[in-house]
Amino acid sequence: MARHDKAVRPWLVLGLPAALGLAWVTQGSGVVGNDPERNIVIPDALTMPLQVQAAYNDERIFFRYRWPAEQPHVYHDMLRFEDGEWIRHGRSIPGPSPDGTYEDRVAMLVDDGGVPEFGRYGGYITAGDRMRFFSDSASPAEVAEHPRLGQEMGKNDVRKYLPATRRDQNDWRSVEDAEVLAAQREAGYFLDLWHWRAGRSNPIGASDDQWVGEYRNSDAGTGPYTTNWDDEAEQPRWMLDPDETGRRALRWEEVISGEVDFDGVYYLSEENRTDFDPDHDWQDGDVIPRRLLRTPDGSRGSIAVHGQARWEDGYWDVTLVRDLDTGHPLDDKILHDQGVYDVAIAVYRNATGSRWHYVSHPYTLGLGREADLQATAFRGSAPAWDDTWFDMTLFYPGQVDWPLLISEAHAGADDIALGTPVRARHGEAQLARYGVEMEFNDAITARWWMTLAAGLIAMLGVTLALLPAFRPTPRGDRS
């Protein structure tokens, strides 16, 4: 064998396994993995279907939503008696609740043109800097110290807000002055938020009515639930009334069974409560809801459940109804015959809350006008629904916020600056994949640099291995 062959062999023997090892370290082990401590939990399915119908008469508008769910989650925020203490279950956490104590929900944002970016980019514009449950979310202490959000409004997290409510899109703290915010709201720069909850509103036939401006705010008035907890006594304030319900509490095995008797007692309300009895012989596994349901009033009580919203045969079927004109133009978008509006819908299922939801593209809603979703005009007190649905595909949005989308880090930022709608460029599956990529952006970037380094090392090894082959061989030393 020639001397240059002998020189090549060690480099190949040692260099090839080294290159393969580096390739495995940088690529083979992957970067996708749930990390709840960094608020990263990826759902099993990145998209889901939703069916929608809309109808209206002279006074009211109805929306019907239908979506698949393996089981109904109606229990939310429960108090479980264990070893002499009442333990809370059902806080919002990254990903699904391990014991299923988080309610299913559907939420719909509505605009009348007052927020022009919404019709092009939907809910993305409400995801601002350092949002709650993002990996870089602002700390509760930071928010509590903020003059507007913390000291004036009593908040300790950053939730949905609109871009123009901040002077700097990269700084959640830069909230506009109160006078500017009031003027924006007067001009219609806010989003109407319809918010149905399977546990905290549905059992009493109610929904929640909110709006998004500098924060996700509730409409004026009283909401459909309040907290059933006495901080001083460290116990519930109320329990089920045994004279009304035949029992004082639910049982834990009922709560986690995945089954619901919609005609039975599975919630605590003003109609079935009584004062808590601390002297009762409470047993481990007794459960009392931490939320007391009550009839909402004022602007916040504008939306109701029509008929019975129930889960059956693997599907939720929910119909909401509201007056076209609620009489509260600073809280709600007033709707009119022949009007065209923008809507975007989100669904929470599988015992997930916060940002672990599925969202839709923005769509147009027409009342007697051509639009993506056309509301059917009818006479009488309620629509006669048929099997004609508007089909949507919802997707998991991941950690994608508005500051990122309009930054140089986003290849489509120039299109956003030109006003190109998101639906013209991206499908739902693509947006879901992008959302997951952004969950692991730091890890992916680190692996990219490691891959680059491994490639350069491999190239250097190959070059050194082949170098002897290109050296001139003395004539007298030929084999």
Side-chain angles (χ1 to χ4, degrees):
M1 180 178 290
R3 284 187 300 174
H4 68 264
D5 292 332
K6 293 179 180 179
V8 169
R9 182 183 296 175
W11 283 103
L12 291 177
V13 171
L14 297 175
L16 185 58
L20 291 174
L22 284 169
W24 172 255
V25 169
T26 58
Q27 292 294 330
S29 59
V31 298
V32 176
N34 289 336
D35 187 357
E37 291 187 1
R38 296 182 58 236
N39 292 324
I40 296 176
V41 177
I42 307 301
D44 294 333
L46 296 182
T47 62
M48 63 162 284
L50 172 70
Q51 296 177 300
V52 186
Q53 294 177 318
Y56 71 104
N57 58 17
D58 292 339
E59 296 180 352
R60 301 192 295 173
I61 186 164
F62 297 74
F63 286 94
R64 185 183 179 192
Y65 315 87
R66 186 174 185 270
W67 70 91
E70 293 181 359
Q71 64 184 60
H73 291 282
V74 302
Y75 296 107
H76 183 92
D77 214 359
M78 314 299 284
L79 298 169
R80 177 185 179 185
F81 190 75
E82 288 295 325
D83 299 326
E85 296 181 329
W86 290 95
I87 309 300
R88 182 181 177 186
H89 291 263
R91 289 183 175 89
S92 189
I93 62 172
S97 167
D99 51 33
T101 53
Y102 209 91
E103 65 193 345
D104 293 336
R105 290 184 283 163
V106 62
M108 181 173 69
L109 290 167
V110 183
D111 185 44
D112 57 2
V115 186
E117 305 99 330
F118 176 71
R120 297 192 290 271
Y121 311 111
Y124 278 124
I125 71 167
T126 69
D129 173 53
R130 301 184 66 187
M131 291 280 288
R132 181 177 71 145
F133 282 110
F134 274 52
S135 293
D136 65 345
S137 60
S139 71
E142 285 183 282
V143 182
E145 293 174 357
H146 189 272
R148 170 74 176 182
L149 300 183
Q151 296 176 18
E152 182 178 339
M153 299 175 63
K155 310 299 183 183
N156 64 2
D157 56 23
V158 179
R159 302 194 187 184
K160 290 181 175 67
Y161 66 81
L162 297 183
T165 66
R166 299 305 194 270
R167 294 183 291 273
D168 180 356
Q169 296 305 302
N170 295 301
D171 186 2
W172 64 269
R173 304 173 189 82
S174 62
V175 182
E176 287 284 3
D177 295 336
E179 294 78 9
V180 174
L181 295 174
Q184 289 178 349
R185 192 174 173 191
E186 288 276 357
Y189 187 72
F190 70 92
L191 297 175
D192 195 356
L193 174 57
W194 297 39
H195 198 168
W196 172 90
R197 298 176 169 99
R200 286 177 288 176
S201 66
N202 185 61
I204 59 171
S207 183
D208 206 347
D209 198 354
Q210 301 174 311
W211 62 278
V212 178
E214 82 283 20
Y215 194 81
R216 194 192 79 189
N217 299 289
S218 295
D219 286 15
T222 300
Y225 61 89
T226 189
T227 302
N228 176 29
W229 184 248
D230 185 331
D231 283 324
E232 184 175 342
E234 296 186 342
Q235 64 187 26
R237 294 182 182 275
W238 305 285
M239 64 181 185
L240 291 171
D241 186 345
D243 293 334
E244 290 289 331
T245 66
R247 59 198 309 186
R248 291 174 174 82
L250 307 175
R251 290 292 300 170
W252 183 246
E253 53 268 24
E254 294 176 292
V255 171
I256 63 175
S257 69
E259 300 179 359
V260 181
D261 178 6
F262 286 96
D263 294 318
V265 177
Y266 63 95
Y267 60 91
L268 182 70
S269 73
E270 290 178 324
E271 283 69 38
N272 67 14
R273 72 170 180 186
T274 190
D275 290 340
F276 178 76
D277 181 4
D279 297 323
H280 177 69
D281 183 20
W282 298 103
Q283 301 296 308
D284 287 354
D286 284 341
V287 176
I288 295 178
R290 190 175 170 272
R291 301 295 183 178
L292 174 77
L293 306 189
R294 61 188 182 183
T295 303
D297 62 16
S299 178
R300 194 170 174 184
S302 297
I303 305 169
V305 174
H306 179 73
Q308 293 181 320
R310 293 193 173 188
W311 178 93
E312 188 175 5
D313 297 330
Y315 284 86
W316 272 108
D317 197 329
V318 177
T319 300
L320 301 181
V321 58
R322 196 205 78 176
D323 288 346
L324 294 171
D325 185 350
T326 65
H328 304 286
L330 295 182
D331 290 344
D332 304 316
K333 295 296 182 174
I334 308 305
L335 307 179
H336 304 274
D337 183 34
Q338 297 300 306
V340 175
Y341 306 91
D342 296 306
V343 298
I345 302 173
V347 167
Y348 303 73
R349 63 176 185 173
N350 301 330
T352 58
S354 300
R355 70 176 185 83
W356 286 272
H357 58 351
Y358 296 87
V359 303
S360 78
H361 276 304
Y363 292 95
T364 54
L365 164 71
L367 276 65
R369 297 266 304 283
E370 185 175 350
D372 298 319
L373 169 61
Q374 290 187 279
T376 302
F378 70 93
R379 294 184 180 277
S381 59
W385 302 112
D386 57 23
D387 292 329
T388 303
W389 293 92
F390 180 70
D391 293 313
M392 297 182 181
T393 298
L394 276 55
F395 60 93
Y396 173 67
Q399 294 196 51
V400 178
D401 60 28
W402 188 243
L404 168 67
L405 292 176
I406 62 175
S407 73
E408 293 181 356
H410 178 219
D414 290 341
D415 292 297
I416 292 178
L418 293 173
T420 305
V422 64
R423 283 172 59 196
R425 290 182 56 83
H426 300 295
E428 293 86 357
Q430 182 185 23
L431 290 173
R433 289 193 299 270
Y434 181 57
V436 173
E437 288 176 6
M438 294 315 301
E439 296 268 12
F440 300 97
N441 185 57
D442 293 342
I444 291 172
T445 302
R447 288 297 173 92
W448 185 88
W449 283 109
M450 293 173 67
T451 301
L452 178 62
L456 292 174
I457 292 171
M459 291 173 62
L460 177 61
V462 172
T463 300
L464 292 174
L466 296 177
L467 189 59
F470 295 96
R471 291 175 180 169
T473 304
R475 291 180 179 273
D477 194 38
R478 293 183 177 179
S479 300

